[in-house]
Amino acid sequence: MNKFKQAVAVLALCGIVQAAPAQDRGQKGQVVQDGIAVKPLKGGALRDLLAPEGAMDQAADQQYTALLGQARQKGVLVAENDPQVRRLRAIAERIIPHTTRWNQDAQQWKWQVNLLKSDQVNAFCMPGGRIAFFTGIIDKLRLTDDEIAAVMGHEIAHALREHGRDRQAKATTTGLATSALGALFSAWSGYDVRGLANTAGQLYVLKFSRDEEREADLVGLDISARAGYDPRAGIALWNKMAALNQSGAPIDILSTHPGGANRIQQIQSHMNVLLPLYARSKNTSVDRLPPYRSNVALR
Ligand SMILES: [Zn+2]
């Protein structure tokens, strides 16, 4: 088939998919009455053709496995029976059942949650549900469970909504991922833990756009609120982040997640749809919820 015919076929396919009823990916055109409104994923059939999910998943799996292997070797992979790892996994376990509303594929994801010993203020969720937290974000921000859920929800939301998929696809198809993996191994033969984590981060965490940030903030708090975590933690979290930032401490997560000043304002303006989800998960009503309590003081 020549290129023109191929293009026509692709467009026709898109047309069919667009016109198809709600079953496609389980969410086309679906409008929900509660929480943050679910939008269809971007791209549809054209995206699947240009950026096959299998290739992306394979690259993410390779990179995550390499990260864990190297971290283990360096002694910075926190043990499975560590209370902080258990804490993270318990929070993830509550959030995960609420993810499929946003991406039906998440049902098949092989979720993983790990903790790396590093003073970086950072966390991520790679495609396919591969999550990592750095001890720096938990310790320096003294995150409560609700606030960890806000971070985790945000990171999971990026993966669910396939943010940066076009950029990831480009890296995968041009072989960039493979060569970056090589660079990763050599970087890790060094000793610097911070360097280790930075290299890992650059592999797949492309800088998210402000639109993607806005969506991740809301989708993340939607799923954490359904899981029984207070969405007001989102406000506390970004306030803590801003305070630490002002103290001059490096905050790695901000370089890939450009939220800007109106992030808190946006979260606040959606509390009317987020708080009812939280209240429902606690079998109560919004007006009966106690005021939000954080541990406030920063180190
Ligand atoms: Zn983000």
Side-chain angles (χ1 to χ4, degrees):
M1 211 181 340
N2 66 31
K3 283 235 163 83
F4 176 70
K5 274 189 187 159
Q6 248 174 0
V8 171
V10 167
L11 289 175
L13 188 61
C14 292
I16 290 160
V17 170
Q18 299 264 310
Q23 281 82 355
D24 185 61
R25 297 190 73 91
Q27 46 195 326
K28 293 264 187 270
Q30 188 181 345
V31 180
V32 291
Q33 298 305 305
D34 63 341
I36 304 299
V38 179
K39 289 181 198 152
L41 290 167
K42 277 186 196 160
L46 187 61
R47 180 209 53 181
D48 289 343
L49 199 78
L50 298 178
E53 206 174 332
M56 204 83 69
D57 193 60
Q58 217 179 345
D61 185 51
Q62 247 184 348
Q63 289 166 21
Y64 191 77
T65 306
L67 171 76
L68 291 191
Q70 294 296 321
R72 200 176 288 119
Q73 216 170 43
K74 294 273 176 201
V76 296
L77 181 67
V78 182
E80 297 214 331
N81 58 1
D82 182 279
Q84 292 287 41
V85 176
R86 287 172 185 235
R87 184 185 180 205
L88 288 174
R89 290 185 177 174
I91 294 170
E93 221 164 277
R94 279 170 60 179
I95 293 177
I96 289 166
H98 303 282
T99 55
T100 46
R101 262 178 97 245
W102 299 92
N103 186 333
Q104 289 292 312
D105 294 345
Q107 220 159 359
Q108 274 86 49
W109 289 2
K110 295 181 185 78
W111 294 86
Q112 294 182 72
V113 185
N114 284 289
L115 179 62
L116 303 175
K117 214 180 290 172
S118 159
D119 60 358
Q120 270 204 49
V121 179
N122 214 347
F124 60 78
C125 177
M126 288 172 77
R130 300 166 177 96
I131 300 168
F133 269 68
F134 296 81
T135 49
I137 193 167
I138 300 174
D139 297 342
K140 288 187 192 168
L141 295 176
R142 296 179 58 203
L143 297 179
T144 64
D145 282 7
D146 291 312
E147 290 157 6
I148 285 182
V151 174
M152 200 181 280
H154 178 104
E155 298 304 325
I156 288 175
H158 279 307
L160 287 175
R161 303 305 290 162
E162 303 183 341
H163 289 165
R165 181 164 172 181
D166 48 342
R167 283 159 278 160
Q168 289 162 20
K170 206 173 165 195
T172 310
T173 52
T174 55
L176 235 170
T178 324
S179 63
L181 203 62
L184 172 82
F185 284 126
S186 53
W188 278 349
S189 58
Y191 196 65
D192 183 31
V193 172
R194 176 176 283 272
L196 172 162
N198 277 341
T199 313
Q202 278 158 13
L203 269 179
Y204 67 91
V205 181
L206 320 128
K207 189 173 170 177
F208 293 113
S209 73
R210 283 181 194 273
D211 277 349
E212 289 170 339
E213 281 307 301
R214 273 189 283 272
E215 188 176 37
D217 280 339
L218 298 182
V219 172
L221 291 174
D222 177 292
I223 55 178
S224 64
R226 285 172 203 272
Y229 294 104
D230 197 324
R232 292 171 291 188
I235 298 165
L237 167 73
W238 293 107
N239 273 329
K240 280 182 172 186
M241 209 85 86
L244 186 63
N245 196 29
Q246 262 175 4
S247 77
I251 304 189
D252 308 86
I253 203 168
L254 292 181
S255 61
T256 47
H257 300 262
N262 48 21
R263 139 172 278 153
I264 289 171
Q265 211 181 342
Q266 190 213 210
I267 294 172
Q268 231 145 14
S269 70
H270 286 80
M271 273 306 148
N272 59 334
V273 291
L274 291 169
L275 274 178
L277 298 178
Y278 174 57
R280 192 174 66 196
S281 76
K282 295 281 175 195
N283 287 320
T284 185
S285 57
V286 171
D287 53 345
R288 286 185 172 176
L289 286 172
Y292 183 75
R293 272 195 304 265
S294 183
N295 47 0
V296 189
L298 286 168
R299 242 174 238 171

